[in-house]
Amino acid sequence: MNVFSMIKSFSAFPLAERLRLLPVLALAAAPILWLLLSPQHQWPVVKEIYLPIHTLMEIFSVVVSAMIFALGWHSFDQRAPTAVVVLSTGFLMVGLLDIGHMLSFPGMPAFVTPSSVEKGIEFWLVARFISAATILMVAIMPWPWVCRAPVRYTGLLLSLGFVALVFWTILFQTFPIPDTFIEGQGLTAFKIAMEYLFVGMYLLAAALLLPRASGGDLRRGGHLASAAVILALGELCFTMYFQAEDMANLLGHVYKVVGCLYLYRAIFMSGVNEPYQRLQRSQERLRRSESKFRGLMEFAPDAIFLVDRAGRMQVVNARAESLFGLVREKALGSSINRFIPSWPQCQSGSDVLCWNSQGQIFHAEISTGMLEADDDTLTMAIVRDLTERRKLENALVDQLSHDALTGLPNRSLILCKLREALLRSRLNHHMVAVLFLDLDFFKKVNDMFGHAQGDQVLHETVRRIEVQLTDNALLARPGADEFIVVQSEIKNKSEVSRLAENLLKAMRAPFRIQGHDVFLSVSIGIAIYQNDETTEEGLLQQAHLALTNVKSDSRNNYRYHTPDMEQGLKEKMAIEGFLRRAIEKNELLLHYQPRICMRTGVLRGVEALVRWQHPTLGIVPPAHFIPVAEESGLIDAIGTWVLQEACAQARRWREQGVGKLRVAVNLSPRQFHYSKLVVQVQGILAQSELEPDCLEIEITESAVMKDTESAINTLHLLKELGVVLSVDDFGTGYSSLSYLKLFPIDILKIDQSFVSDMMDSPSDAAIARAIIALGQSLRLTVVAEGVETRGQAQSLKALGCDEMQGYYFSRPVTAAQIADIARQQSAIQAREWVDAIS
């Protein structure tokens, strides 16, 4: 590193530090400049007082070196910075060698051997070399390097051994060392060269220390660099003196003393000042941490106690004061058992009962942990009030187990209550009844008056039911318009029947809604537990099955559960499962019932009737699977298949030369209200290449009247396709004649219920006569269904019925049989048939 690097490093110092160092450096360099500018013979000689001054300065240097060693050696424990170890050990050697130099100076008593300038210089050179080498080593090595204790003590022993070797060599051995001082001539070239070597070593160390000082280690690095520069100036003085007592030698010792003080300052910074400052910073951090801890503790949302081993409260926070109603000053030092009786047995994370100062008990959650204090071990107890949480939990449990609208138990809670009732029934040998109630036609209340009025009806329903219940009954609402009654301690079945009749009677009374009397009813399914193996879920299911059964038949009634209900349900589920695969497996087939014209006796058309040929069940009657298909939605797929197959078969008859037969297909209400029905029919006609007037679509009276506006629109669109439209089972529904004239229908079909009894029932005969007259007045074709006897056929023909079908003419037969009937029938035979009826 050159002078320019030293200048650059010096310029990196902060401005304040540079302004402070510049006068010090100028003051240190002033004596050197004075020696250089003054002639040597003008230098003052202090021969008379030099010896005591020299001795005092050497003693001072030795003391400072000893302080450097003591401070550096004892200020660190096991792991000391290597630089501090080197500096302290090195200056221990320097101090010991300076003692040898001081005792060997001329004028001092003989130190083993007579004192002389040459002997003192030998001690001096070794001491200065070690001093310069030590500072240079410190400048080279990184300060963070640490030295362990074994290495420290090894280095100390080696250093002391080296010093002992030097003393032994100088005092007892004749070692060929060049002369360093010649009396009357001054210093030799060897002595001056050695001094310049030391100057170079010091300046090199200073140059290495300056960047460290400017890089952040300002005070320690700066002191070390200053010591190196001052000691270098001192060595320059020792290259100039002519006599041992002249001013140059004295100034050199002064520089040495000042340099040792800077070294002590540097080791003081590392060994005392910096640890002290770190201690202060640690104490400040500890104070801040403690303040933060107390702040967090004071403003914590939970009550916090610090309790000693004896259970006495040492610290409490503000939340503890408000929660337990205590006064902090009076509470400190008192036992915590007054507020937490289970202390210290309560476990961390457990729920405990606590008392406040007013004697009120509340639930709390406690968490504990140990804190190590200066002279004791404290337990931190964090107490969280669970009062609000318990309220929320109870509210949540109540919400989960009760109906939000009526406050009644819901399904989950009534199951628990029912389980308890069954257990008591087993113990006390009495019966338990479950009544499953459903409001009939409740939907119309919501649709007509709104859900708010519907809720009022439900509240009134609860009131009416509760009036009929005894103390041994429980009422629940599982949802919607359903209710469950659990009646315990029943002696006989008549009690349950009487309760059911009372409930039916209570619900028949009108509900007053917005000035209107609305009449509702209730359907009830009942299941009775008689100490069998039925579970609460099973009993509830039985009651619901009975409810379903009564709703499907009549409503406004009650029915007990019977085993055949479950059997019927199982059969229904089995039929549904088989039916879903019937279309895929081609198990469905069509039979056709002929329809005879009463004027000509010829075959005018047929009605397609679906049949199911199951491989194991055999022929399944339509009455068994059609209701299942309608309920499950399978009627859509079946209806589409029937429509496709009937149209395809009518086309095949034409191709077989049978003639133009019209095929009638029944549409279910669900299929009739299908939004794409017209498009579907048009597509099937196009696919089968069947003339539209060869297809007759039969719809029930109730399906047409369900949504009259939509029905009128659909019928007109179908009529535009050219298909024939007929109303099936006419007279069984609630048709309005004003609507009937708006429907673009072609055929009215008299339901077989009127035909079958018309011979014995004047009213049925009158209805048949009225339907025929209505059809004639509207210019519609009238068809009678279910004609089974000749008398029925004669009466209907006499009334003017246009066409008939039924067992009297033919049972439903296969497509091939229809073709045979059509081919074998001649005009003469048809005429004879009509005449026979007439």
Side-chain angles (χ1 to χ4, degrees):
M1 183 175 290
N2 52 31
V3 177
F4 296 105
S5 298
M6 295 180 64
I7 295 174
K8 182 178 180 181
S9 299
F10 181 75
S11 63
F13 278 83
L15 179 61
E17 290 295 328
R18 281 185 282 168
L19 293 177
R20 188 172 63 85
L21 287 175
L22 284 174
V24 175
L25 294 175
L27 182 63
I32 298 295
L33 294 175
W34 177 74
L35 289 177
L36 293 173
L37 296 176
S38 301
Q40 194 175 34
H41 64 275
Q42 295 182 1
W43 294 351
V45 177
V46 288
K47 188 172 184 179
E48 293 78 8
I49 62 172
Y50 183 81
L51 181 60
I53 293 175
H54 174 269
T55 303
L56 288 174
M57 287 191 292
E58 288 299 335
I59 291 173
F60 186 81
S61 297
V62 170
V63 171
V64 172
S65 297
M67 293 173 63
I68 291 173
F69 169 74
L71 192 58
W73 190 264
H74 295 288
S75 296
F76 299 92
D77 295 329
Q78 298 296 319
R79 296 167 61 87
T82 305
V84 173
V85 175
V86 171
L87 192 64
S88 58
T89 306
F91 272 84
L92 173 63
M93 293 190 292
V94 171
L96 294 174
L97 292 171
D98 279 343
I99 293 175
H101 164 71
M102 177 185 66
L103 296 177
S104 300
F105 197 79
M108 295 295 289
F111 178 51
V112 182
T113 58
S115 300
S116 66
V117 175
E118 188 73 19
K119 179 182 174 183
I121 290 176
E122 289 175 357
F123 277 106
W124 171 269
L125 290 177
V126 178
R128 300 289 73 75
F129 175 77
I130 294 175
S131 174
T134 299
I135 296 175
L136 184 59
M137 289 177 63
V138 171
I140 292 174
M141 67 178 58
W143 193 266
W145 282 6
V146 294
C147 182
R148 298 184 180 275
V151 179
R152 290 170 59 187
Y153 285 101
T154 301
L156 178 62
L157 292 176
L158 293 175
S159 300
L160 294 177
F162 177 76
V163 171
L165 179 63
V166 171
F167 270 85
W168 179 76
T169 302
I170 295 176
L171 296 177
F172 300 105
Q173 299 295 321
T174 302
F175 196 75
I177 299 176
D179 292 334
T180 58
F181 182 81
I182 300 176
E183 193 67 37
Q185 295 182 8
L187 299 174
T188 65
F190 172 74
K191 170 66 164 64
I192 295 173
M194 291 300 296
E195 295 293 351
Y196 278 120
L197 175 62
F198 303 152
V199 170
M201 294 173 68
Y202 282 128
L203 292 178
L204 178 59
L208 293 173
L209 289 167
L210 280 176
R212 184 180 298 178
S214 61
D217 195 6
L218 178 62
R219 302 185 68 181
R220 182 171 55 211
H223 289 313
L224 287 173
S226 299
V229 171
I230 293 172
L231 291 173
L233 293 176
E235 296 303 323
L236 285 176
C237 293
F238 292 124
T239 63
M240 299 179 186
Y241 70 88
F242 181 75
Q243 298 182 41
E245 298 86 1
D246 62 16
M247 184 57 67
N249 198 346
L250 184 62
L251 282 175
H253 283 83
V254 173
Y255 277 115
K256 173 190 168 186
V257 171
V258 175
C260 289
L261 289 175
Y262 270 94
L263 287 173
Y264 176 76
R265 183 61 178 169
I267 200 73
F268 178 81
M269 292 295 298
S270 296
V272 177
N273 188 269
E274 288 184 0
Y276 177 72
Q277 289 181 350
R278 286 196 298 270
L279 178 61
Q280 284 188 319
R281 289 193 295 268
S282 298
Q283 290 177 339
E284 179 63 21
R285 286 195 297 269
L286 181 61
R287 186 189 65 78
R288 292 179 181 177
S289 178
E290 183 179 356
S291 176
K292 186 181 296 184
F293 171 75
R294 288 186 176 274
L296 291 174
M297 179 176 171
E298 189 67 19
F299 295 105
D302 299 325
I304 300 178
F305 299 89
L306 293 184
V307 185
D308 61 16
R309 294 180 179 178
R312 294 185 297 267
M313 294 178 287
Q314 301 299 319
V315 178
V316 297
N317 68 345
R319 175 57 179 158
E321 289 187 275
S322 61
L323 180 61
F324 289 89
L326 54 85
V327 179
R328 187 177 308 195
E329 292 75 12
K330 295 181 180 179
L332 296 181
S334 61
S335 174
I336 196 174
N337 292 92
R338 174 186 172 189
F339 303 104
I340 308 177
S342 58
W343 183 273
Q345 288 78 21
C346 53
Q347 297 181 353
S348 181
S350 61
D351 291 356
V352 296
L353 288 177
C354 298
W355 296 68
N356 60 20
S357 58
Q358 288 76 36
Q360 296 173 336
I361 302 175
F362 61 92
H363 287 271
E365 180 184 11
I366 187 169
S367 300
T368 59
M370 306 303 293
L371 290 179
E372 294 295 334
D374 294 335
D375 53 354
D376 195 6
T377 299
L378 300 178
T379 301
M380 173 183 283
I382 302 176
V383 181
R384 175 168 297 176
D385 184 14
L386 298 180
T387 303
E388 293 300 322
R389 185 196 294 182
R390 290 296 171 85
K391 289 181 181 179
L392 291 174
E393 289 175 352
N394 293 335
L396 181 60
V397 170
D398 187 72
Q399 182 178 357
L400 293 175
S401 59
H402 288 77
D403 173 50
L405 177 64
T406 62
L408 294 175
N410 59 14
R411 180 182 175 86
S412 61
L413 182 57
I414 200 64
L415 281 173
C416 295
K417 299 293 184 181
L418 182 56
R419 187 183 305 116
E420 296 172 2
L422 297 185
L423 179 60
R424 290 194 299 270
S425 174
R426 296 188 192 101
L427 296 175
N428 301 328
H429 303 287
H430 59 68
M431 294 187 295
V432 175
V434 174
L435 291 79
F436 215 120
L437 291 75
D438 183 88
L439 283 178
D440 299 327
F441 310 112
F442 175 72
K443 185 177 182 296
K444 71 180 183 181
V445 176
N446 286 331
D447 294 342
M448 294 177 62
F449 301 101
H451 289 275
Q453 295 300 320
D455 292 344
Q456 293 300 319
V457 169
L458 292 176
H459 281 290
E460 174 63 17
T461 300
V462 171
R463 188 193 67 79
R464 295 184 184 185
I465 295 175
E466 287 178 337
V467 169
Q468 307 301 324
L469 301 182
T470 64
D471 295 338
N472 297 325
L474 292 173
L475 177 62
R477 181 181 177 232
D481 56 352
E482 295 180 335
F483 297 90
I484 297 174
V485 174
V486 176
Q487 181 70 51
S488 303
E489 300 182 10
I490 298 174
K491 298 179 181 178
N492 52 64
K493 193 175 180 179
S494 61
E495 295 182 22
V496 183
S497 299
R498 188 164 50 252
L499 173 60
E501 290 170 356
N502 291 337
L503 291 173
L504 290 174
K505 182 179 179 180
M507 293 305 300
R508 291 192 187 109
F511 290 84
R512 193 70 177 172
I513 304 176
Q514 295 181 348
H516 300 277
D517 285 338
V518 178
F519 291 87
L520 300 175
S521 60
V522 66
S523 299
I524 305 174
I526 306 173
I528 295 181
Y529 176 77
Q530 299 180 353
N531 291 315
D532 53 18
E533 298 300 323
T534 307
T535 64
E536 63 276 6
E537 282 280 3
L539 195 63
L540 207 60
Q541 183 180 356
Q542 290 177 359
H544 192 271
L545 183 59
L547 172 65
T548 304
N549 190 274
V550 72
K551 287 179 65 176
S552 64
D553 286 351
S554 58
R555 297 178 184 264
N556 190 23
N557 204 346
Y558 69 90
R559 186 165 299 171
Y560 285 92
H561 171 266
T562 57
D564 61 331
M565 291 181 181
E566 294 182 359
Q567 183 62 32
L569 180 62
K570 293 178 181 177
E571 292 178 357
K572 181 179 176 181
M573 293 178 62
I575 289 176
E576 181 180 343
F578 292 142
L579 192 58
R580 289 186 179 276
R581 296 186 290 270
I583 299 177
E584 301 175 2
K585 296 183 176 181
N586 295 320
E587 295 176 0
L588 298 180
L589 54 95
L590 290 182
H591 283 184
Y592 303 90
Q593 187 169 39
R595 201 161 74 194
I596 308 300
C597 177
M598 290 296 98
R599 290 192 302 273
T600 63
V602 299
L603 180 64
R604 292 295 305 272
V606 294
E607 181 178 358
L609 301 172
V610 65
R611 298 292 186 263
W612 179 15
Q613 179 69 50
H614 190 269
T616 57
L617 300 178
I619 294 293
V620 181
H624 284 188
F625 71 87
I626 291 298
V628 175
E630 291 178 343
E631 185 177 342
S632 62
L634 292 173
I635 194 66
D636 295 337
I638 294 175
T640 301
W641 178 86
V642 170
L643 193 60
Q644 291 173 338
E645 181 63 22
C647 291
Q649 183 58 52
R651 179 63 184 176
R652 286 193 291 271
W653 283 329
R654 291 289 301 274
E655 294 174 351
Q656 295 170 2
V658 172
K660 190 175 183 180
L661 288 180
R662 182 190 300 157
V663 61
V665 176
N666 287 281
L667 293 186
S668 69
R670 180 187 178 103
Q671 193 175 8
F672 176 71
H673 290 286
Y674 177 50
S675 61
K676 296 182 180 181
L677 172 64
V678 178
V679 177
Q680 184 184 54
V681 172
Q682 186 178 19
I684 292 174
L685 289 172
Q687 182 181 6
S688 61
E689 298 180 354
L690 182 68
E691 295 90 339
D693 60 345
C694 289
L695 174 63
E696 177 184 329
I697 292 181
E698 295 185 4
I699 52 177
T700 62
E701 186 180 1
S702 59
V704 174
M705 297 304 297
K706 184 177 182 180
D707 185 352
T708 55
E709 293 184 5
S710 175
I712 291 173
N713 181 56
T714 301
L715 291 173
H716 277 286
L717 292 175
L718 290 172
K719 193 64 180 176
E720 290 176 1
L721 293 179
V723 301
V724 178
L725 300 176
S726 64
V727 176
D728 193 18
D729 301 336
F730 187 76
T732 60
Y734 44 88
S735 297
S736 170
L737 295 180
S738 61
Y739 278 113
L740 186 61
K741 68 180 182 180
L742 298 177
F743 297 151
I745 58 177
D746 303 292
I747 299 173
L748 285 181
K749 300 188 74 173
I750 305 173
D751 186 66
Q752 62 180 351
S753 62
F754 302 122
V755 174
S756 61
D757 295 331
M758 65 178 296
M759 301 303 294
D760 301 322
S761 173
S763 59
D764 286 344
I767 293 174
R769 183 183 305 108
I771 294 174
I772 294 172
L774 176 64
Q776 290 174 346
S777 64
L778 294 175
R779 297 182 179 180
L780 301 177
T781 300
V782 179
V783 178
E785 294 181 302
V787 179
E788 298 181 353
T789 65
R790 182 176 181 179
Q792 293 172 350
Q794 289 175 336
S795 297
L796 289 169
K797 185 175 185 302
L799 294 174
C801 183
D802 299 304
E803 298 176 5
M804 300 181 199
Q805 68 182 73
Y807 282 12
Y808 175 71
F809 300 99
S810 174
R811 289 176 174 272
V813 295
T814 64
Q817 290 174 307
I818 291 292
D820 293 339
I821 293 174
R823 291 193 191 100
Q824 294 171 3
Q825 186 185 43
S826 65
I828 297 175
Q829 289 174 332
R831 190 73 243 174
E832 292 177 350
W833 195 2
V834 172
D835 292 341
I837 296 175
S838 301

